């Protein structure tokens, strides 16, 4: 079991002084990973770690040869354009690297003079997908989302009998995952206007976002083996923000009997930064089911999972539009939710379920949580829910209203962990923009 | 439009004399690609081309520096452990390489003495997945399969209203695809014995194969762009055999509402050899819909697709069991089918549909056809169909019977193209074996 260690000490400060208040969400207790380069250059992308408003260039740091042992081994994998090699090393290496980075970046570190020249401003950076994502699986862990959506697709049968037993998941598209995406509105088939007619065809009319968290697999499992529930955490590198864009009208027509396909695979936007599971340790919380809920089958059930299987991560969805940006309005709040309250299943349960049949996970694979709608209507993680299937337009503060997304709309999702007496642990944000259909 | 050329000349023979009758299925008119190494060695896997019962080592051939122009450029990508770089080059390069190989391997070639030492026996080879498969999509193009299966899962509603309009597809698992797989029987949840009870858990009791063809994407498309129907063929590198193993009892419990997941992602077995689309040119046939069938929407409809959208590929499924192998019985025939008769949609329609929303395909991506059941009961592509959902056991010639697969069972799928006056174009075989649950 991972527990708190020196890197979580709230007294730690960094010689990068912007890390020492809660403004950036990247204090020395966080140290999230991304793959970046200077904006507008054609230079190679390379791994970096955030500290305050700066990024430590890990490829350059590796050349200094100032770390030792497992930390040096881990750092030496950070020279390419993805984090896959680091992810494949395993938890002992991740911990050693985090500890070495924490010591190197803290106030008074003798390495300050050597490392300072390797820092660059996040404001000048551009990012790419932090890992080569071999496979992307999307789960469906919010009971509230499943129930609300179920009512719209199957009014008489909203929650299917398997929901409270099976962490429902399906395979998504890895190729169209990215950071800071601007994508054309998808085109496709939608329901015929009358039974027996040809379907309609054209740009999606019910384009939506989905508020999710992404789970990056670190070490995988051999095909045929399974990962036990209480070992699952060791296999997870960290979490990011995920916006799983959805074309609701395309989905409604295509999804039976084999699930969503073109309704989802045109784009999925993650945040550039991966917050490691170790950085999230202070925000683990109990995961319990209500008295009336069935207890999971043994392979999905353990004392550890109940005691600390959930993560207290707050999320917020914001929108800007072409008009609001022109008028320089601040982004408008659409909803807020919390990972620990939204999930009917934990990260560990998703991993244990995914591999129970021998399916092999690989370093860099991404699991999506599914839309993280909370119990309250204001905590809904999609417009489909917030607008009651398009029937209740949402008023935006600058006078526009929305049921679904219009061209030029930009969705910003933020996430963070906060509790009294601990520095704010930020995830940065995922940003995606809807362009006109081609 | 690709048409027949010098490489399809039926008069051509090879100085590799085993290529000059129909016994291997690898005549000089075929020239399929795989990635191989000598069995039992720890050497690097490398690309090869089959000719008769031999393999040409393309990495070694590249070193000879005997090709020119596009053919040389194409060959020079064949030095790693996958065909992705060759696939990414595009059709002009693939054609040039095929022409150069055809000339080099034909009777009387001045290169014979230089190339002969680079040949090795297929009998001594082992294979790996011929490409790094970024994404795997499985379609569902057999109307016959969809109707028969639909009756078992939804007796009152076998064929959903979208079927004849949408080439139904869903994302599968890339990591568990392989060649010559031996995998443990998957374990998982299945339906409760009574409503309100906990689900059952244990080794799958209804393990099945699915007879499919796989389509390897060559050149992809940029995210946001689409591939037009009549350009789709240019993006396809070639076809292989695919066995999409399925755990029917796990599938029945988990698949609603988001589609199959653990029922499919434990293993999927392809043949080592990819037969190029150019080798299949002589076997293109008309693709027509019956008078009562709706015509597809314009993005899925063209004269070219109707005139030559289908491929006349014959397929056969065979089984051996632990008992039959011990007694040295020949594999038993389970069923036979034909790609052109089974498919309600063509390869080009699958590509055009997959990308109509801007989803990006990448070199090495694999599309599965879905189970290729033909119109006759004997042409069913799965045990679920052949045994009528497990109710009608199939008698095997050595005295055993099967409804679903038992431990030790091995499924062999073969495919080939045959017509009078043309050499037999073989696909080799896909071989997979069920091991006991772990």
């Amino acid at each position: 079991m991972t527990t708190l260690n020196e890197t979580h000490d709230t007294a730690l400060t960094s010689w990068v002084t912007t890390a020492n208040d809660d403004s950036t969400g990247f204090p020395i207790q966080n140290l999230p990973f991304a793959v970046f380069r200077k904006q507008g250059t054609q230079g190679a992308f390379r791994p970096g770690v955030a500290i305050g408003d700066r990024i430590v260039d890990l490829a350059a740091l590796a050349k200094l040869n100032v770390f030792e042992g497992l930390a040096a081994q881990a750092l030496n994998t950070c020279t390419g354009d993805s984090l896959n090699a680091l992810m494949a090393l395993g938890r002992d290496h991740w911990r050693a690297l985090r500890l070495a980075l924490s010591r190197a970046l803290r106030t008074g570190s003798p390495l300050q003079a050597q490392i300072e020249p390797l820092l660059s401003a996040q404001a000048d950076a551009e990012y790419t997908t932090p890992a080569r994502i071999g496979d992307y699986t999307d789960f469906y862990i919010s009971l509230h989302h499943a129930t609300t959506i179920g009512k719209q697709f199957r009014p008489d049968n909203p929650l299917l009998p398997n929901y409270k037993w099976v962490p429902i998941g399906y395979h998504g598209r890895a190729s169209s995952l990215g950071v800071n995406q601007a994508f054309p509105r998808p085109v496709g088939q939608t329901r015929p206007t009358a039974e027996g007619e040809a379907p309609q065809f054209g740009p999606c009319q019910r384009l939506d976002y989905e508020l999710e968290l992404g789970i990056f697999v670190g070490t995988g499992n051999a095909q045929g083996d399974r990962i036990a529930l209480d070992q699952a955490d060791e296999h997870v590198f960290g979490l990011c923000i995920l916006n799983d864009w959805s074309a609701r009208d395309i989905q409604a027509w295509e999804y039976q009997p084999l699930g969503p396909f073109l309704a989802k695979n045109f784009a999925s936007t993650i945040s550039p930064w991966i917050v490691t599971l170790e950085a999230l340790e202070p925000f683990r919380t109990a995961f319990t089911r209500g008295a009336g809920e069935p207890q999971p089958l043994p392979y999905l059930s353990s004392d550890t999972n109940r005691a600390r299987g959930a993560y207290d991560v707050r999320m917020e969805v914001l929108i800007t539009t072409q008009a609001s940006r022109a008028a320089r309005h601040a982004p408008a709040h659409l909803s807020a939710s919390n990972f620990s309250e939204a999930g009917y299943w934990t990260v560990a349960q998703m991993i244990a379920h995914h591999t129970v049949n021998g399916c092999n996970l690989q370093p860099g694979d991404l699991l999506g949580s599914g839309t993280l709608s909370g119990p309250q209507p204001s905590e809904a993680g999609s417009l489909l829910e917030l607008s009651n299937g398009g029937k209740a337009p949402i008023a935006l503060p600058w006078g526009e209203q929305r049921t679904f997304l219009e061209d030029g709309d930009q969705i910003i999702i933020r996430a963070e962990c906060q509790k009294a007496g601990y520095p704010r642990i930020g995830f940065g944000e995922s940003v995606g923009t809807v362009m006109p259909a081609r």
Side-chain angles (χ1 to χ4, degrees), chain A:
Chain A
M1 187 187 295
T2 308
T3 48
L4 301 193
N5 57 44
E6 175 186 328
T7 66
H8 301 99
D9 184 347
T10 58
L12 292 183
T13 57
S14 174
W15 49 260
V16 180
T17 54
T18 52
N20 298 334
D21 61 42
D22 279 348
S23 60
T24 66
F26 298 141
I28 195 165
Q29 291 81 3
N30 191 348
L31 303 176
F33 288 79
V35 173
F36 80 106
R37 70 179 175 194
K38 196 175 155 96
Q39 216 164 33
T41 64
Q42 294 301 310
F45 281 102
R46 55 201 183 279
V49 157
I51 180 79
D53 63 355
R54 306 279 114 179
I55 308 175
V56 185
D57 180 336
L58 294 183
L61 183 59
K63 286 190 189 145
L64 291 187
N65 209 19
V66 291
F67 289 176
E68 292 180 342
L70 296 186
Q73 289 172 24
L75 183 62
N76 287 337
T77 65
C78 295
T79 53
D81 62 358
S82 83
L83 293 165
N84 294 67
L86 175 62
M87 290 167 161
L89 284 180
R91 193 162 67 167
D92 289 346
H93 283 87
W94 309 333
R95 284 186 184 176
L97 180 57
R98 175 178 162 89
L99 179 61
L101 286 167
S102 173
R103 288 177 177 169
L105 293 169
R106 72 181 59 158
T107 307
S109 162
L111 296 174
Q112 178 178 350
Q114 279 178 279
I115 294 178
E116 210 153 18
L118 312 183
L119 300 186
S120 56
Q122 288 163 32
D124 296 337
E126 62 184 5
Y127 302 92
T128 188
T129 314
R132 287 187 314 280
I133 299 169
D135 279 291
Y136 162 46
T137 300
D138 202 20
F139 282 88
Y140 194 57
I141 69 164
S142 163
L143 178 71
H144 314 295
H145 174 71
T147 306
T148 309
I149 297 292
K151 274 184 197 152
Q152 296 185 17
F153 281 75
R154 297 172 303 276
D156 47 346
N157 196 19
L159 202 66
L160 295 166
N162 57 14
Y163 188 85
K164 294 189 172 182
W165 297 102
V166 178
I168 295 289
Y170 67 107
H171 295 294
R173 182 84 193 170
S175 70
S176 54
L177 279 157
V179 299
N180 292 326
Q181 294 184 308
F183 58 87
R185 175 180 298 274
V187 165
Q189 295 189 32
T190 55
R191 278 188 195 291
T193 50
E195 207 177 320
E197 297 282 301
Q200 303 179 79
F201 181 81
C204 167
Q205 300 298 309
R206 289 162 71 91
L207 186 61
D208 203 354
Y209 64 85
E210 288 192 331
L211 165 63
E212 303 197 14
L213 284 178
I215 298 137
F216 269 104
V217 173
T219 50
N221 59 306
Q223 194 168 355
D225 287 348
R226 63 172 97 166
I227 298 175
L229 183 67
D230 282 347
Q231 269 76 60
D233 287 343
E234 295 171 27
H235 292 265
V236 175
F237 183 75
L239 307 189
C240 67
I241 300 164
L242 168 63
N243 181 348
D244 190 40
W245 306 94
S246 298
R248 301 297 182 189
D249 43 359
I250 295 173
Q251 184 176 355
W253 172 236
E254 75 168 3
Y255 93 108
Q256 287 279 23
L258 298 179
F261 181 50
L262 299 188
K264 300 274 195 174
N265 66 11
F266 53 92
S268 312
T269 311
I270 58 174
S271 56
W273 295 105
I274 306 175
V275 179
T276 63
L277 225 55
E278 194 177 0
L280 294 171
E281 274 296 315
F283 300 93
R284 298 190 77 139
T285 93
F287 177 74
T288 47
R289 292 256 171 99
E293 301 293 314
Q295 287 308 305
L297 293 185
Y299 78 99
L300 297 173
S301 184
S302 79
D303 288 342
T304 303
N305 189 62
R306 277 183 290 274
R308 51 202 303 278
Y311 292 87
D312 180 16
V313 182
R314 305 175 189 190
M315 295 161 294
E316 184 184 15
V317 184
L318 304 110
I319 188 171
T320 72
T321 71
Q322 213 155 19
S324 81
R325 290 191 300 273
R328 299 182 178 274
H329 292 294
H333 171 95
L334 283 175
S335 71
S337 181
N338 184 300
F339 189 25
S340 68
E341 289 166 15
Y344 194 79
W345 300 99
T346 65
V347 170
Q349 285 171 325
M350 288 186 253
I351 300 269
H353 182 66
H354 204 317
T355 61
V356 71
N357 68 341
C359 178
N360 54 324
L361 301 181
Q362 296 183 319
D365 284 350
L366 186 70
L367 314 184
S369 61
T371 309
L372 291 172
S373 302
Q376 303 305 320
S378 65
E379 295 170 335
S382 69
L383 289 172
L384 184 60
E385 293 160 273
L386 289 171
S387 74
N388 190 21
K391 294 194 282 282
I394 298 149
L396 302 177
W398 49 83
E400 290 185 287
Q401 59 178 35
R402 286 291 182 274
T403 48
F404 292 99
L405 295 171
E406 299 190 5
D407 291 349
D409 286 358
Q410 182 172 74
I411 292 292
I412 302 161
I413 306 183
R414 295 179 183 151
E416 60 174 25
C417 299
Q418 284 214 54
K419 66 176 181 182
Y422 200 86
R424 186 169 77 92
I425 299 296
F427 283 69
E429 54 189 33
S430 115
V431 181
T433 310
V434 180
M435 309 298 286
R438 285 191 194 156

